[in-house]
């Protein structure tokens, strides 16, 4: 029944908070965005959470630097946000993972990384830059991660799908690719499922 399905869904999402790979959306980019950009970002957070609900084994979704204007707009635009099964904190991701051992687990995802992501490792913590910038700030996340001494990696897109345009994706697409990869353990299949279809 619908009730049972709801119960199972909640159970799965609760479990994701205890195990499963952690995927942070780093919301520390308010100063780079217009109010309209932030609106788009908040919608993308909604799509990301929805994607995580679709799979048998959800990832542990975390929102860091959830504060100020971004938090205010998110709370206004998303009515059920308080009830989401996620970790949400005002802290920056590096305050959440302060020790050198923790820092070594962090992987900042960015299209500008040298290294290609090949696995989702449950012991690592993956970070997506929570920014909508229409390519105004090229290489920003790569630079910030490098300055903080954090490893970076890009999705293995070119190897698996032929993209007509650039490979900088939206927050929700990147989040959903990770979610689907974790469910399928197959990049080609996950990318194909998520990527907007080319004509
Ligand atoms: N100018 C921004 C682009 C933001 S796109 C930047 O400096 O990255 C939103 C986020 O999606 C990025 O911060 C990154 O975490 C992720 N992302 C987008 N395309 C990606 C790719 N091809 N591989 C890995 N991460 C990607």
């Amino acid at each position: 029944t619908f009730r049972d399905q709801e119960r199972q869904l909640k159970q799965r999402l609760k479990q994701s908070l205890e195990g499963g790979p952690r995927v942070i959306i780093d919301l520390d980019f308010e100063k780079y965005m217009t109010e309209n950009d932030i609106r788009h970002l908040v919608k993308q957070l909604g799509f990301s959470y929805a994607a995580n609900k679709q799979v048998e084994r959800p990832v542990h979704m975390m929102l860091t630097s959830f504060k100020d204007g971004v938090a205010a707009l998110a709370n206004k635009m998303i009515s059920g946000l308080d009830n989401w099964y996620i970790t949400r904190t005002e802290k920056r991701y590096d305050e959440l993972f302060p020790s050198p051992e923790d820092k070594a687990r962090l992987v900042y995802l960015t299209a500008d990384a040298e290294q290609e992501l090949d696995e989702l490792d449950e012991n690592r913590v993956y970070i997506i830059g929570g920014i909508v910038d229409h390519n105004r700030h090229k290489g920003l996340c790569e630079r910030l991660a490098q300055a903080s001494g954090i490893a970076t990696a890009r999705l293995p897109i070119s190897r698996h799908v032929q993209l007509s345009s650039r490979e900088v994706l939206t927050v929700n697409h990147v989040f959903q690719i990770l979610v689907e990869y974790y469910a399928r353990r197959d990049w080609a299949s996950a990318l194909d499922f998520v990527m907007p279809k080319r004509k």
Side-chain angles (χ1 to χ4, degrees), residues 24 26 29 41 44 108-113 117 127-144 153-157 163 166-175 177:
I24 289 178
D26 169 19
F29 293 96
L41 173 65
Q44 294 179 5
Y108 215 113
L109 297 173
T110 141
D112 303 294
L117 192 66
I127 309 170
I128 299 171
I131 174 171
V132 170
D133 69 337
H134 309 283
N135 226 17
R136 277 192 312 261
H137 301 287
K138 289 200 181 75
L140 176 65
C141 289
E142 173 70 19
R143 280 198 303 279
L144 291 175
R154 63 190 155 81
L155 292 172
I157 296 175
L163 271 192
R166 62 214 180 86
E167 295 180 5
V168 181
L169 307 178
T170 59
V171 170
N172 57 299
H173 281 146
V174 176
F175 188 90
I177 288 166

Side-chain angles (χ1 to χ4, degrees), residues 14 18 22 33 38 42 44 61-62 64 72 80 85 103 106 119 126 128 139 146-147 153-154 158 168 178-179 183:
K14 270 187 195 160
E18 276 138 44
R22 286 162 288 188
M33 292 186 283
I38 300 174
V42 169
Q44 294 179 5
M61 180 172 175
M62 308 177 94
T64 59
Y85 293 98
K103 199 168 153 185
L106 302 176
E119 255 303 322
Y126 299 90
I128 299 171
Q146 282 197 3
R154 63 190 155 81
S158 52
V168 181
L178 297 182
V179 163

Side-chain angles (χ1 to χ4, degrees), residues 50-102:
N52 208 25
K53 284 178 164 182
Q54 303 299 314
V55 292
E56 202 82 31
R57 288 199 307 165
V59 301
H60 181 170
M61 180 172 175
M62 308 177 94
L63 302 180
T64 59
S65 298
F66 185 82
K67 57 187 169 77
D68 304 334
V70 174
L73 212 48
N75 284 321
K76 199 166 113 187
M77 289 173 62
I78 308 174
S79 56
L81 188 64
D82 279 344
N83 303 321
W84 283 12
Y85 293 98
I86 62 170
T87 296
R88 199 166 25 127
T89 173
E90 289 195 0
K91 287 184 180 156
R92 237 182 80 115
Y93 67 85
D94 51 357
E95 294 172 318
L96 208 55
F97 295 98
S99 74
E101 299 79 54
D102 279 344

